[in-house]
Amino acid sequence: PYTTLFRSDYSRVCKNIPKIFASLCRPLTNKVDQAIEPGLHSITWSSLNIEDYLNSIEVAINNFKTIMNSINDVRECRIQTSLAAIESTLLAVVPEEEPWEVTAFVEKVEATCKAQGDTLEKLNALLEKATDDLIGIFKANMSDAVAEELTEKFADLATFFAQRTVEAFTRCTRNSLDLIKRRLATTGDKYGSMEAQTGAGSQPPFFSAAIKLRVPHIVVHPSLEDIQQTLNNSTTMVLADRKSVV
């Protein structure tokens, strides 16, 4: 039947609807189905109102495509982009060319956490605004009564993206701590074998230290205990920065 031409385009758009939007898109697809429905029963090629019928289907499908484009734009360009930015943000820094003093490392991590923390707060706010705007697009294209019926579904959608945000912050924190861990491991490898010491990828020590002779003892400053405490404090700063945002 002639409705097949419209249905193929309509079906293509429907197949690309993300599962998380399926229930919220049902009122939108119902409008298109209602526009197509007369052609399945009463409208024929000889009907006097065939032109109006075809135009109504085209308008309904184009409106649906426009709405879905807006929804997908918010999801892909705002929500997913912000989530990716959060995941790639590092809350720690490590020495690359020269070893750092313990105090310098603490100061650099603290400054990084503060600067990146501000960035994360902005990204979190953008995510909340994008989620609200996404829900707003759905509500603007359905009646108040239908929107009221879908209150729980809207809450589920907000919870879904809130959980994705928490997961992004978790990856951000893990990546930051892994950065320190990998750098420490590289330092250990360098001084653990001759191959590592002469390798092209060898890196300088993480911390600078001084050895002092205090007869009859040799004292290392800072002590291993001080270095361990510094690493613990830096880890705490990274974790606290994440918790202050989420």
Side-chain angles (χ1 to χ4, degrees):
Y2 51 85
T3 54
T4 301
L5 296 176
F6 296 101
R7 280 185 167 277
S8 60
D9 188 30
Y10 173 46
S11 297
R12 179 183 57 79
V13 179
C14 290
K15 288 179 180 178
N16 292 325
I17 296 176
K19 291 182 179 180
I20 56 171
F21 298 151
S23 58
L24 295 175
C25 282
R26 197 160 295 121
L28 307 180
T29 57
N30 285 344
K31 293 181 180 180
V32 180
D33 292 337
Q34 290 170 4
I36 294 176
E37 195 272 338
L40 303 177
H41 305 289
S42 57
I43 301 292
T44 66
W45 282 114
S46 59
S47 298
L48 295 178
N49 59 344
I50 183 64
E51 192 67 31
D52 291 339
Y53 169 68
L54 295 177
N55 287 337
S56 68
I57 295 179
E58 185 176 8
V59 169
I61 292 178
N62 286 338
N63 285 342
F64 177 62
K65 290 166 64 176
T66 299
I67 295 169
M68 291 310 305
N69 285 337
S70 298
I71 290 171
N72 287 325
D73 282 346
V74 173
R75 176 174 176 260
E76 296 171 6
C77 300
R78 295 173 62 185
I79 294 178
Q80 291 183 340
T81 298
S82 294
L83 289 173
I86 290 174
E87 289 185 21
S88 63
T89 298
L90 293 175
L91 301 172
V93 288
V94 295
E96 296 181 1
E97 298 180 357
E98 297 292 335
W100 290 346
E101 294 184 357
V102 168
T103 53
F105 174 66
V106 173
E107 291 171 356
K108 290 177 184 294
V109 172
E110 185 176 11
T112 301
C113 283
K114 184 179 185 306
Q116 299 292 57
D118 292 341
T119 299
L120 292 176
E121 285 185 2
K122 293 177 181 178
L123 288 171
N124 189 49
L126 288 174
L127 280 167
E128 292 178 350
K129 180 64 165 57
T131 301
D132 289 342
D133 289 347
L134 186 63
I135 292 174
I137 294 174
F138 279 111
K139 290 185 175 181
N141 290 281
M142 60 182 66
S143 67
D144 292 341
V146 173
E148 184 67 26
E149 294 176 0
L150 294 173
T151 297
E152 186 175 340
K153 297 297 182 181
F154 287 125
D156 290 343
L157 184 64
T159 300
F160 174 83
F161 285 118
Q163 183 59 39
R164 298 292 83 75
T165 302
V166 171
E167 293 173 359
F169 275 106
T170 299
R171 294 189 184 95
C172 163
T173 302
R174 184 171 61 245
N175 292 339
S176 301
L177 297 178
D178 283 348
L179 174 68
I180 298 175
K181 182 180 178 180
R182 287 195 304 271
R183 181 61 178 81
L184 288 169
T186 302
T187 300
D189 287 344
K190 178 183 177 183
Y191 290 93
S193 66
M194 182 61 68
E195 291 80 359
Q197 292 183 42
T198 58
S202 61
Q203 292 183 299
F206 198 107
F207 294 113
S208 60
I211 299 177
K212 298 180 180 180
L213 177 61
R214 293 181 181 176
V215 179
H217 303 292
I218 296 178
V219 179
V220 178
H221 182 77
S223 67
L224 292 177
E225 290 78 10
D226 290 339
I227 292 176
Q228 183 61 58
Q229 186 60 48
T230 296
L231 292 172
N232 292 342
N233 291 342
S234 299
T235 298
T236 300
M237 280 192 285
V238 170
L239 294 173
D241 196 65
R242 174 262 179 99
K243 292 179 180 177
S244 67
V245 178
V246 180

